[in-house]
Amino acid sequence: MSAPLQGMRVLDLSQQLPGPYATLLLAGLGADVTKVEPPAGDASRQLDPQMFAGVNAGKSSVVLDLKSDPDRERLYELVREHDVLVEGFRPGVTERLGCDHPTLQRIRPSLVYCSISGMGRTGPLAAHPTHDISLQAMAGILGGGSEVTRIGVPWVDLATATSAALAITAAWHAGQGCYLDLSMLDAAVAWARAKPSALEPGPEPTYGTLRAADGGRVVIALLEDHQWQRLCRALGWDDWVDDDDLARYTDRRRHGSRIRARLDESVGRLTVPEIVVLAKDFDLSIGPADAADDPASQQQIALRFPGEQSLPLPAALLRPLGPAPALDQHSTGG
């Protein structure tokens, strides 16, 4: 079967993560992606070379200084040959550089133009600089009072990228040029609202990490009522198995601190291997929190990402893409 997006030609003017990951998803589905970089290159070449290599695999690189007339004309030539353009500039920049949607639409009316910004194109904060953690704060994710020094996986960036790739794919298949206005704020607020209870104060009684007797950690992700009963039996909580006050998830949330304290005590008497066996015997969603060294976890990942494949793509999109390009590797000299 041919790749679903075979024949799609994409110009990617974006940098760092949201735009480049969106076009990597498109490339994983068969699109041909040309990365248009400024003379200094995508900033992530220096800020995070490992991330750059992953999210720009298989793309071409062309350097254009859009502040110069000759390079701007070269961009217009490329637009005539491409179906999709992705940009991640702050509002107002594309107009100054002459690569805004109205200008490029006149050159190629069928162009799918995707604009990714932090806050959107209008509003009091539209021009305000932002990153992933800033949008998490606006969406209410960072509430609770604890200090944050890093965010780990930048899920707002990746959510924005995934939404952009989906919208681009739909627009391209529709066969008509259009303007797609996506913001990171959209993704942050939409995903936060998808599960409002996640923002409620207080601990999830049976959801999170726990310390075992041998000093290792386990992660528990147990929400369902039938799993709660199995957990009670596994840990010998006979007094709670049929307790109507704890039978439903909403009830357990009200008693979160009490349940959590007992869970800490019970798990703290067992080693990680003992907990893993218990979880298997009672069919519980509990496993090693430090799963990078867990053989079963690594075997499962290897099945989904076979061989030496390390691209940051869902397994269903994996296909040979080649390495990320060197800066201006595919320029023809204009």
Side-chain angles (χ1 to χ4, degrees), residues 12 21 38 41 49 81 123 144-145 153 177 193 198 205 254 276 297 300 323 329:
D12 185 1
Y21 189 70
E81 303 167 356
V153 176
R193 290 180 177 176
R254 290 195 296 271
V276 169
S297 298
Q300 188 67 38
Q329 181 177 348

Side-chain angles (χ1 to χ4, degrees), residues 89-96 117-122 125-128:
F89 296 110
R90 284 202 220 178
V93 173
T94 57
E95 288 81 1
R96 292 198 299 271
S117 61
M119 307 281 194
R121 316 307 296 178
T122 60
L125 295 177
H128 190 68

Side-chain angles (χ1 to χ4, degrees), residues 18-19 21-23 25-26 114-116 155-171 180-188 190-191:
Y21 189 70
T23 57
L25 290 171
L26 300 177
C114 180
S115 176
I116 299 176
W155 65 265
V156 176
D157 285 352
L158 299 174
T160 306
T162 304
S163 297
L166 177 62
I168 289 169
T169 300
L180 302 173
D181 176 14
L182 285 94
S183 81
M184 294 167 62
L185 180 61
D186 295 344
W191 279 35

Side-chain angles (χ1 to χ4, degrees), residues 288 291-292 294-302:
D294 176 54
S297 298
Q298 294 311 303
Q299 182 181 2
Q300 188 67 38
I301 292 172

Side-chain angles (χ1 to χ4, degrees), residues 34-37 60-64 74 78 328-331:
T34 297
K35 186 173 180 63
V36 179
E37 302 186 65
S60 304
S61 172
V62 174
V63 166
L64 295 178
R74 173 60 182 147
L78 289 172
D328 205 25
Q329 181 177 348
H330 303 90
S331 175

Side-chain angles (χ1 to χ4, degrees), residues 220-241:
I220 182 170
L222 192 152
L223 301 175
E224 296 81 4
D225 296 339
H226 58 84
Q227 281 216 33
W228 164 254
Q229 292 184 333
R230 295 204 297 268
L231 177 69
C232 290
R233 294 189 178 95
L235 297 179
W237 296 349
D238 296 337
D239 55 323
W240 278 1
V241 171

Side-chain angles (χ1 to χ4, degrees), residues 59-73:
K59 302 176 185 178
S60 304
S61 172
V62 174
V63 166
L64 295 178
D65 181 358
L66 297 182
K67 296 178 182 178
S68 74
D69 292 338
D71 280 11
R72 194 177 303 115
E73 289 298 325

